[in-house]
Amino acid sequence: MGDLRAALASHGITLPSLRPDLPTFAGTYEPPAGLIALGNCNAATARKLAAALRGSGRILLDLDLPATLGAVPDLRRTLRRCLGEPSADVQLCVTELVGNVIRHVGEGTPVRVRVARVEGGRVRVEVADPDARALPVLLHATGDDEAGRGLALLDAMALRWGVEQGVAGKAVWCELAEAK
């Protein structure tokens, strides 16, 4: 059990007690051998645990912030420091995804920005927000359109991208071949 705790701690995960709550069970419940009760984990811990168990890679940035135009330059600088290289592609993808939240969900919306190195040297960018209904749509903008190019740009740069929906919101993600 100590090895599990240590492995999860390396991903920033602390678990609640893994022992059954004896007053609750009062001898009427005998858990199966090896049962780990994780029902007391909050959503953030559950997300981190799921990412760690599926081998999501090394998290380079995990940041909660309000999606505002003023936050974008600081976010780009933070990305450069975290990646240790210019990483223009990663910065552009994060900027586009945060910009979409500002335009389609609303300025000041709380977002989580996560950047991780995953298998094969790829970089995964994920921007999560609390509105599960405002889904991204890939548009084909014409030369005269003033908007609608963000996801087309992301689609052209990324190896793949998608949306993970949950009851408390959504996460739009993309994976890049490497940080450039």
Side-chain angles (χ1 to χ4, degrees):
M1 195 55 63
D3 290 343
L4 174 61
R5 282 188 181 273
L8 294 175
S10 73
H11 290 278
I13 302 167
T14 357
L15 295 177
S17 171
L18 299 179
R19 285 182 235 113
D21 181 12
L22 296 178
T24 301
F25 298 120
T28 60
Y29 174 76
E30 197 168 316
L35 175 69
I36 299 174
L38 297 177
N40 294 330
C41 292
N42 62 27
T45 301
R47 278 193 304 272
K48 287 180 181 178
L49 178 59
L53 292 176
R54 72 173 173 253
S56 68
R58 191 177 64 129
I59 295 175
L60 303 171
L61 177 71
D62 191 359
L63 184 63
D64 294 318
L65 68 148
T68 62
L69 291 174
V72 172
D74 290 336
L75 182 55
R76 292 172 68 92
R77 278 189 291 279
T78 301
L79 279 165
R80 282 193 299 272
R81 280 195 312 274
C82 289
L83 292 172
E85 51 197 43
S87 61
D89 293 353
V90 174
Q91 291 177 61
L92 182 60
C93 289
V94 168
T95 300
E96 289 299 329
L97 292 175
V98 171
N100 279 348
V101 173
I102 293 168
R103 279 185 290 287
H104 302 293
V105 181
E107 182 145 4
T109 300
V111 295
R112 166 166 275 166
V113 177
R114 178 175 281 169
V115 178
R117 261 199 219 284
V118 295
E119 299 138 16
R122 296 185 317 271
V123 175
R124 181 181 169 100
V125 172
E126 183 179 299
V127 175
D129 70 72
D131 191 342
R133 297 168 296 148
L135 297 176
V137 176
L138 180 60
L139 301 175
H140 299 285
T142 65
D144 294 333
D145 291 336
E146 293 182 16
R149 291 180 180 81
L151 280 179
L153 185 59
L154 184 115
D155 186 59
M157 293 173 53
L159 297 171
R160 60 190 191 133
W161 68 277
V163 181
E164 292 177 5
Q165 283 185 279
V167 290
K170 68 177 174 305
V172 183
W173 59 270
C174 67
E175 288 184 2
L176 301 161
E178 59 186 49
K180 294 182 188 174

